[in-house]
């Protein structure tokens, strides 16, 4: 047995309460481990620790597992009767058994030593206030991300002199096209008909740029988009339609027009806001739009986005007021934290307590592109943007050397990093304002819809970027931020594509199995480029297939829910089949 590959700790994601009754216990082993048992019970079932009484627990085999590239992830759920848990593992390989305790692995002879001081794994108490809780409603969402300037111009009277005529095709970062909040209001019925249940808006607070990630005033709506009255009307109209709204909070940095930063530029260390930022040299040359010289910290090396010092209690208090204001006065449903892994943990803990005290089920989403375990223990974010899933899906279609087993391993990795309550509300996406567009990346409709089918059948909540419903094209930023072609949409040019998106959204919302946390890969088809997995919810099953090979595969027909290129029981190359 390869002991080096065996790993467990009494902390997430290996051991944690899922709720006030259930404990999730996970362990990683090598592939040589054939069976695993957990022996568990209450720490005091045989007396006080250190007493003469011996301890024995209930032995149960762990039967659920997910294969990773080099290890196996075993998972089980136990219900500690008295909220405490004491346990160890039994591992079997080639007919031999070993026993895994907190201080290591022992053999059968050592296990029989009655006087041995066994160091069990202990989870001391399931304190309700320590249990990570996430908003239940998020799993039922289908998000739609909008970059406001390019979505819809609803009130041309707001257009400034710099606004250009609405257009198709490539755009530049500095281009303004007049999209606004009234345009979004006008298109709410379109989004409702599409099946969208929530909108994530990139920043709408006052800023000189088109993207608004260089904030000038966190307490005002940018005049280009409207005002607070219009924003209030947008939220009201969305809530009337049972739709949620999530705003983008840029708290890691601000823009150079932010009044407190301007005060620092003018007064230097004499400014009361000097410690609101991370200034290392003053005076500094404000004409050099790069911070590699170390004059102050910024987002990336963008001198136009000076970094806020979220370690400063005054900065934390300021953003407590900002977040409280928009939650209390406009009843927003979520906040997305831009550059969410660079603000301080203490900042996030405080903001969470503040906004959750106002609206307990508000959704707090971090923009983190890699493993975000440190931010998902229950006192900071509810969830993160699931870019690991984005990469896992994307890479299988880009790298033709990958097999269905590679796909299984990388998908399983995405869902073994975090607690189940986080997995249930992950923000899943295939493209965004920060990436090239899905259709341009895939290059053809077959791969485009295959990837969308994975997105809509994975745990979490799916998000589509505005225009994805029509397979809108666009390269990397800024090309991904093109204007929405409403004239072509209203002329019926994209009816078929919109109908397919509606079908997927309807299935996602109406079928429990689409949203379920539980799935496995049977890999029964002898073709390395045919993905197959089964989603499970109680006794219901959902069968998902994508043929990414060059040959047709026979798949017996059941109750077909969604299909492309499935004819006479055969899934053709490029085809997708979802059935139950």
């Amino acid at each position: 047995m390869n002991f080096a590959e065996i790993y467990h700790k009494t902390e997430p994601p290996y051991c944690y309460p899922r709720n006030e009754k259930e404990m999730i216990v996970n362990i990683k082993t090598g592939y040589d481990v054939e069976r695993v048992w957990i022996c568990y019970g209450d720490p005091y079932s045989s007396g006080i620790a250190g007493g003469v009484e011996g301890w024995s627990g209930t032995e149960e085999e762990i039967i659920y597992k997910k294969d990773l590239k080099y290890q196996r992830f075993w998972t089980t759920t136990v219900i500690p009767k008295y909220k405490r848990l004491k346990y160890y593992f039994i591992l079997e390989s080639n007919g031999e058994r070993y026993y895994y305790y907190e201080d290591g692995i022992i053999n059968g002879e050592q296990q029989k030593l009655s006087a041995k001081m066994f160091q069990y794994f202990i989870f001391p108490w399931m304190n309700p206030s320590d249990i990570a809780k996430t908003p239940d409603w998020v799993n039922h969402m289908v998000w739609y991300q909008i970059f406001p300037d390019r979505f819809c111009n609803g009130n041309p009277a707001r257009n400034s002199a710099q606004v250009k005529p609405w257009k198709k095709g490539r755009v530049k970062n500095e281009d303004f096209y007049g999209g606004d909040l009234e345009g979004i209001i006008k298109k709410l019925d379109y989004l409702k008909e599409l099946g969208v249940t929530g909108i994530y808006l990139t920043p709408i607070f006052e800023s000189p740029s088109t993207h608004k990630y260089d904030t000038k005033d966190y307490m005002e709506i940018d005049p280009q988009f409207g005002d607070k009255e219009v924003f209030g009307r947008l939220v009201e109209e969305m809530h009337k339609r049972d739709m949620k709204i999530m705003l983008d909070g840029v708290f890691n940095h601000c823009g150079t027009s932010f009044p407190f930063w301007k005060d620092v530029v003018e007064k230097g260390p004499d400014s009361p806001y000097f410690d609101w930022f991370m200034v290392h040299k003053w005076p500094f040359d404000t004409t050099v739009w790069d911070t590699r010289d170390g004059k102050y910290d910024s987002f990336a090396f963008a001198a136009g986005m000076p970094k806020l010092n979220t370690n400063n209690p005054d900065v934390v208090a300021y953003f407590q007021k900002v977040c409280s204001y928009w939650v209390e006065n406009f009843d927003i449903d979520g906040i997305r934290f831009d550059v969410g892994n660079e603000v301080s943990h203490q900042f996030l803990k405080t903001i969470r307590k503040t906004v959750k005290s106002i609206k307990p089920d508000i959704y707090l989403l971090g923009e983190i592109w890699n493993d975000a375990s440190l931010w998902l223990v229950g006192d900071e974010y509810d969830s993160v943007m699931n870019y690991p899933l984005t990469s896992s899906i994307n890479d299988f279609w880009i790298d033709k050397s990958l097999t269905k087993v590679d796909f299984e391993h990388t998908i399983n990795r995405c869902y073994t990093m975090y607690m189940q309550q986080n997995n249930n509300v992950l923000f899943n996406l295939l493209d965004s304002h920060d990436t090239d567009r899905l259709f341009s990346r895939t290059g053809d409709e077959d791969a485009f819809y295959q990837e969308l089918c994975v997105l809509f059948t994975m745990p979490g909540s799916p998000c589509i970027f505005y225009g994805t419903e029509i397979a809108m094209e666009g390269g990397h930023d800024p090309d991904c931020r093109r204007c929405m072609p409403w004239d072509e949409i209203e002329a019926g040019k994209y009816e078929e594509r919109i109908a397919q998106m509606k079908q997927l959204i309807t299935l996602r919302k109406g079928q429990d199995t689409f949203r379920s946390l539980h799935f496995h890969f049977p890999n029964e088809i002898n073709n390395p480029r045919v993905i197959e997995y089964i989603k499970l919810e109680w006794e219901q099953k959902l069968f998902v297939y994508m043929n990414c090979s060059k040959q047709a595969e026979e798949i017996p027909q059941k109750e077909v829910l969604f299909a492309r290129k499935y004819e006479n029981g055969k899934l053709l190359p490029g085809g997708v089949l979802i059935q139950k």
Side-chain angles (χ1 to χ4, degrees):
M1 185 177 293
N2 188 344
F3 298 139
E5 291 183 335
I6 298 167
Y7 187 78
H8 175 81
K9 283 192 78 173
T10 50
E11 62 182 34
Y14 295 97
C15 179
Y16 60 91
R18 185 182 181 191
N19 49 49
E20 293 188 20
K21 291 184 178 180
E22 297 176 312
M23 285 284 299
I24 305 295
V25 181
N26 301 316
I27 177 175
K28 277 184 181 178
T29 73
Y31 279 102
D32 59 329
V33 175
E34 298 162 352
R35 299 176 74 183
V36 177
W37 290 261
I38 182 173
C39 186
Y40 71 96
D42 189 87
Y44 304 110
S45 61
S46 300
I48 303 298
V52 69
E53 298 88 352
W55 182 89
S56 62
T58 300
E59 191 177 301
E60 289 182 0
E61 185 167 6
I62 301 177
I63 59 173
Y64 298 107
K65 55 186 179 290
K66 290 187 180 298
D67 286 347
L68 306 175
K69 189 166 186 178
Y70 301 111
Q71 291 175 299
R72 186 162 280 159
F73 191 89
W74 306 76
T75 182
T76 192
T77 304
V78 299
I79 301 177
K81 185 176 180 180
Y82 302 105
K83 308 296 183 185
R84 302 174 293 247
L85 190 64
K86 180 175 182 175
Y87 60 101
Y88 64 92
F89 299 98
I90 305 169
L91 312 172
E92 185 174 282
S93 176
N94 293 322
E96 293 186 317
R97 283 195 172 193
Y98 291 89
Y99 303 82
Y100 181 26
Y101 291 85
E102 189 176 68
D103 60 337
I105 299 171
I106 62 176
N107 59 33
E109 292 302 314
Q110 294 168 307
Q111 175 74 2
K112 296 174 184 177
L113 298 173
S114 59
K116 182 174 172 59
M117 298 179 69
F118 293 97
Q119 295 186 37
Y120 298 90
F121 292 104
I122 300 286
F123 193 94
W125 189 266
M126 298 167 66
N127 285 297
S129 63
D130 295 332
I131 298 172
K133 298 178 177 66
T134 56
D136 290 335
W137 57 266
V138 177
N139 180 254
H140 295 265
M141 299 301 292
V142 175
W143 295 99
Y144 190 89
Q145 182 192 354
I146 293 177
F147 189 84
D149 181 64
R150 312 288 163 73
F151 183 65
C152 179
N153 188 335
N155 185 359
R158 291 190 184 276
N159 290 0
S160 65
Q162 61 187 334
V163 169
K164 296 186 173 185
W166 207 258
K167 61 171 286 188
K168 291 193 302 179
R170 294 184 177 276
V171 294
K172 297 179 181 179
N173 253 332
E174 60 269 23
D175 293 345
F176 289 83
Y177 289 96
D180 54 24
L181 299 182
E182 286 168 275
I184 297 172
I185 293 172
K186 287 184 177 181
K187 298 302 181 182
L188 285 180
D189 288 338
Y190 165 84
L191 295 175
K192 181 71 175 178
E193 177 66 20
L194 187 63
V196 168
T197 55
I199 294 175
Y200 152 45
L201 293 177
T202 56
I204 60 172
F205 301 139
E206 188 174 1
S207 155
S209 66
T210 55
H211 55 74
K212 310 300 178 194
Y213 283 98
D214 51 349
T215 312
K216 175 183 178 181
D217 191 336
Y218 291 90
M219 301 300 286
E220 293 294 337
I221 301 296
D222 192 281
Q224 174 196 345
F225 295 154
D227 54 27
K228 290 177 182 176
E229 184 276 327
V230 177
F231 178 64
R233 187 151 43 91
L234 170 62
V235 177
E236 181 181 1
E237 290 297 325
M238 288 184 63
H239 286 170
K240 279 182 185 177
R241 293 168 172 79
D242 295 321
M243 299 170 76
K244 306 281 189 182
I245 183 167
M246 178 163 60
L247 297 186
D248 212 332
V250 190
F251 308 140
N252 173 70
H253 54 272
C254 62
T256 52
S257 56
F258 185 50
F260 300 163
W261 174 253
K262 292 176 71 175
D263 196 72
V264 169
V265 173
E266 179 185 348
K267 302 173 184 175
D270 294 330
S271 169
Y273 306 109
F274 190 78
D275 290 332
W276 281 49
F277 304 92
M278 298 179 177
V279 180
H280 308 298
K281 299 176 183 178
W282 192 88
F284 42 77
D285 186 354
T286 57
T287 64
V288 178
W289 288 91
D290 191 287
T291 57
R292 286 180 173 87
D293 61 358
K295 57 192 171 190
Y296 56 83
D297 294 330
S298 65
F299 167 65
F301 295 112
M305 297 181 182
K307 190 173 179 67
L308 288 152
N309 182 8
T310 54
N311 307 280
N312 184 331
D314 292 336
V315 174
V316 177
Y318 172 77
F319 283 108
Q320 281 181 275
K321 291 178 182 177
V322 168
C323 293
S324 297
Y325 176 80
W326 294 102
V327 177
E328 287 178 334
N329 292 281
F330 295 92
D331 196 26
I332 62 172
D333 303 292
I335 302 173
R336 182 258 194 190
F337 292 70
D338 185 58
V339 197
N341 55 351
E342 290 193 26
V343 293
S344 73
H345 288 284
Q346 193 57 50
F347 173 89
L348 293 172
K349 295 177 198 297
T350 303
I351 295 295
R352 181 183 179 91
K353 286 181 180 178
T354 299
V355 297
K356 292 281 187 178
S357 69
I358 301 168
K359 188 168 185 173
D361 68 343
I362 192 170
Y363 182 45
L364 302 182
L365 174 70
E367 184 210 6
I368 300 180
W369 289 55
N370 53 345
D371 185 345
S373 302
L374 285 175
W375 291 266
L376 294 177
V377 295
D379 57 354
E380 296 183 35
Y381 297 132
D382 294 312
S383 175
V384 289
M385 301 181 81
N386 198 1
Y387 279 109
L389 180 67
T390 311
S391 299
S392 297
I393 296 172
N394 170 77
D395 290 358
F396 183 80
W397 273 266
I398 297 299
D399 186 349
K400 301 297 192 289
S401 72
L402 296 178
T403 70
K404 65 200 303 178
V405 176
D406 294 315
F407 183 79
E408 174 187 0
H409 292 166
T410 191
I411 294 295
N412 284 343
R413 174 185 174 272
C414 294
Y415 288 99
T416 55
M417 290 194 292
Y418 310 133
M419 294 183 281
Q420 287 189 15
Q421 48 264 57
N422 301 124
N423 288 339
N424 205 42
V425 298
L426 283 168
F427 191 87
N428 298 335
L429 68 165
L430 292 174
D431 53 5
S432 73
H433 68 293
D434 284 327
T435 73
D436 53 343
R437 283 188 171 270
L438 175 63
F439 189 75
S440 292
R441 190 188 315 139
T442 58
D444 69 85
E445 284 198 7
D446 291 342
F448 175 79
Y449 283 105
Q450 286 177 327
E451 291 195 31
L452 280 172
C453 284
V454 178
L455 178 73
F456 277 92
T457 53
M458 282 290 117
S461 61
C463 177
I464 56 173
F465 193 26
Y466 77 98
T468 298
E469 69 271 26
I470 62 169
M472 191 163 151
E473 297 179 345
H476 288 280
D477 170 20
D479 192 38
C480 57
R481 305 169 181 182
R482 297 184 183 188
C483 298
M484 190 77 160
W486 289 111
D487 54 345
E488 294 181 343
I489 292 171
E490 290 162 4
K493 180 177 178 179
Y494 301 107
E495 281 185 5
E496 184 179 345
R497 290 176 174 177
I498 291 174
Q500 289 183 87
M501 182 64 78
K502 280 184 185 179
Q503 189 179 358
L504 284 172
I505 292 175
T506 299
L507 289 167
R508 172 75 190 194
K509 291 160 60 178
Q511 300 277 338
D512 291 341
T513 46
F514 272 72
R515 303 188 304 273
S516 172
L517 280 168
H518 310 296
F519 59 90
H520 73 273
F521 294 80
N523 293 335
E524 294 174 347
I525 297 172
N526 188 25
N527 186 326
R529 292 286 294 175
V530 175
I531 294 172
E532 49 178 315
Y533 56 92
I534 299 173
K535 292 292 300 295
L536 305 161
E537 184 66 15
W538 299 107
E539 295 182 356
Q540 302 174 29
K541 289 185 179 181
L542 186 75
F543 301 86
V544 184
Y545 306 90
M546 286 94 179
N547 189 348
C548 305
S549 74
K550 295 181 179 180
Q551 66 185 54
E553 288 293 339
E554 191 168 330
I555 300 175
Q557 182 171 327
K558 299 182 174 68
E559 182 181 343
V560 176
L561 301 177
F562 184 89
R564 283 174 51 88
K565 294 193 170 182
Y566 180 60
E567 301 172 4
N568 302 317
K570 288 188 175 182
L571 189 61
L572 305 180
V576 59
L577 172 65
I578 304 176
Q579 59 184 5
K580 65 177 185 178

